[in-house]
Amino acid sequence: MVDRVLHRRRFAGAITLASVGFMLASQVAPVFARQATPAIGVATLGWTDELSDDNGKLNVVTTVAPISSIARNIGGARIDLYGVVPDGTNSHTFEPAPSDARVLAQADIIFVNGLDLDLPTMELAEANLRDGAEIVSLGEQTVSEAEWVFDFSFPEEDGSPNPHLWTNPPYAKRYAEIIAATLSARDPDNAAYYAENLTRYSDALDALDVAIASSVTTVPAENRKLLTYHDSWAYFAPRYGFVVIGAVQPSDFSEPSPQEVAGLIDQIEAERVPAVFGSEVFASDVLEQIAAEAGADYIDQLRDDAPPGEPNAPEHTYLGMMIRNMDLMLSALGGNADAVTALSPADTYEGS
Ligand SMILES: [Zn+2]
């Protein structure tokens, strides 16, 4: 734990209230589409609303982008939503800025992932929680301790389980259910709206789950192995019959040692893995070098908490992120992801 605290560093400047105002004015088109499902090409509302106590909407604060995206799909246009972890930031080492304290102090509900992922934000939230506000930790309500996974970058001796539950779509659906129940309890007037949004979003997550499962059958069985830089597929793998054979990133988010690199090269050769996977957020020359020496393809664009596209683009969503990941991953391992890429990445909430 001490080790992790020491290694927490800010990788990107946090969004301040002042810059949020700028973004709202300059980038966020007010979209209140009337159709049930926004068509591709229609901007999403994103998660950079300016929080207000004067408009009758719940102020909802979230941490990482997948949770923000899920919360938007349930709360739709009837909540004000602000995600504190900026795009492209290392969420594992993210420390909220002092200005985030003001955002957290305005929240009615703060949804965190928990499982120690967003501990600094949770602590700042607790210190600034206003009367009647609540912090809801999604991970702890989604899996029991018996279901926690400890592995390469999240070893048991450090005490913090792998926190990436959301790469498993049924767990993402559980997050959506908890968010819907929480919003409805605090805002009963809109409970029917949240329930409808949950139904639509659950259908989209079920379709994603089915499409991933069917696409995985096109990947040769011997290729259903993941060696990644960032260790974010621990709960995805058992769901779809993959084995995570390794993660390169050490538990303190430093770089692997020469001995570890040599071991990984041997492992890739022995397992005949056709491709290894880097991440958008964590560029890794080391993994590129490992892949080259082991004769595997290097795919450097998997994402675990940074949706593709610009903020407010239709694919800048949790669904869009998973669709893009499957396209990259399954294709590189010799499969066909057409069933997944045929899905819409767009938000599913009703516009008003
Ligand atoms: Zn991660």
Side-chain angles (χ1 to χ4, degrees):
M1 198 60 231
V2 171
D3 207 33
R4 294 190 64 199
V5 171
L6 287 177
H7 282 87
R8 282 191 190 122
R9 284 182 287 147
R10 294 278 305 289
F11 276 64
I15 298 174
T16 62
L17 279 179
S19 70
V20 171
F22 171 75
M23 288 170 72
L24 281 169
S26 64
Q27 294 175 10
V28 184
V31 174
F32 295 94
R34 294 280 168 208
Q35 69 268 37
T37 304
I40 292 180
V42 173
T44 97
L45 289 178
W47 42 87
T48 56
D49 295 339
E50 197 159 5
L51 303 183
S52 163
D53 288 331
D54 302 327
N55 62 6
K57 296 181 182 181
L58 285 174
N59 288 342
V60 178
V61 173
T62 49
T63 55
V64 291
I67 294 174
S68 307
S69 181
I70 294 167
R72 175 57 84 197
N73 276 279
I74 304 306
R78 297 195 188 171
I79 60 169
D80 281 335
L81 175 63
Y82 186 80
V84 296
V85 181
D87 265 16
T89 303
N90 177 354
S91 60
H92 300 266
T93 56
F94 173 73
E95 295 275 1
S99 58
D100 290 326
R102 281 164 50 209
V103 172
L104 291 162
Q106 266 191 291
D108 298 308
I109 308 168
I110 299 152
F111 291 111
V112 300
N113 185 71
L115 305 181
D116 294 346
L117 173 68
D118 30 25
L119 214 47
T121 306
M122 207 165 146
E123 286 166 357
L124 190 67
E126 278 165 0
N128 289 279
L129 205 61
R130 69 178 176 184
D131 280 354
E134 66 182 310
I135 301 170
V136 177
S137 191
L138 299 165
E140 280 80 358
Q141 295 187 51
T142 297
V143 292
S144 69
E145 219 170 305
E147 294 166 302
W148 289 3
V149 173
F150 293 98
D151 58 358
F152 308 93
S153 304
F154 302 93
E156 190 149 19
E157 59 266 30
D158 286 3
S160 298
N162 195 313
H164 300 96
L165 297 183
W166 62 84
T167 57
N168 174 318
Y171 287 166
K173 184 171 155 183
R174 178 74 190 129
Y175 280 21
E177 290 165 353
I178 297 164
I179 290 169
T182 308
L183 296 182
S184 299
R186 296 191 65 104
D187 179 18
D189 287 354
N190 283 313
Y193 173 77
Y194 302 136
E196 280 169 33
N197 284 347
L198 175 63
T199 299
R200 258 192 306 273
Y201 197 54
S202 295
D203 287 348
L205 294 174
D206 288 343
L208 175 67
D209 183 41
V210 167
I212 294 173
S214 76
S215 294
V216 167
T217 65
T218 69
V219 176
E222 67 275 16
N223 289 358
R224 294 176 198 167
K225 297 170 189 159
L226 293 175
L227 192 139
T228 62
Y229 183 74
H230 187 56
D231 189 8
S232 47
W233 300 92
Y235 302 92
F236 166 92
R239 173 80 186 162
Y240 302 107
F242 277 82
V243 177
V244 180
I245 62 169
V248 178
Q249 192 170 40
S251 56
D252 63 3
F253 298 95
S254 63
E255 287 295 342
S257 69
Q259 291 87 341
E260 286 168 326
V261 168
L264 288 162
I265 293 168
D266 289 346
Q267 193 179 9
I268 295 167
E269 289 174 338
E271 303 248 12
R272 299 175 189 275
V273 186
V276 300
F277 300 94
S279 121
E280 274 284 312
V281 172
F282 302 99
S284 173
D285 294 341
V286 177
L287 184 56
E288 189 169 12
Q289 175 201 333
I290 290 170
E293 289 194 29
D297 288 339
Y298 174 53
I299 310 296
D300 68 352
Q301 290 167 16
L302 289 192
R303 300 155 175 274
D304 70 308
D305 56 19
E310 294 298 313
N312 309 109
E315 72 274 21
H316 195 74
T317 62
Y318 166 77
L319 290 169
M321 185 180 79
M322 290 301 292
I323 292 167
R324 182 74 60 88
N325 280 330
M326 293 304 100
D327 194 16
L328 291 165
M329 180 193 290
L330 304 184
S331 305
L333 297 176
N336 176 325
D338 287 355
V340 181
T341 58
L343 301 173
S344 169
D347 286 333
T348 60
Y349 57 84
E350 283 216 317
S352 59

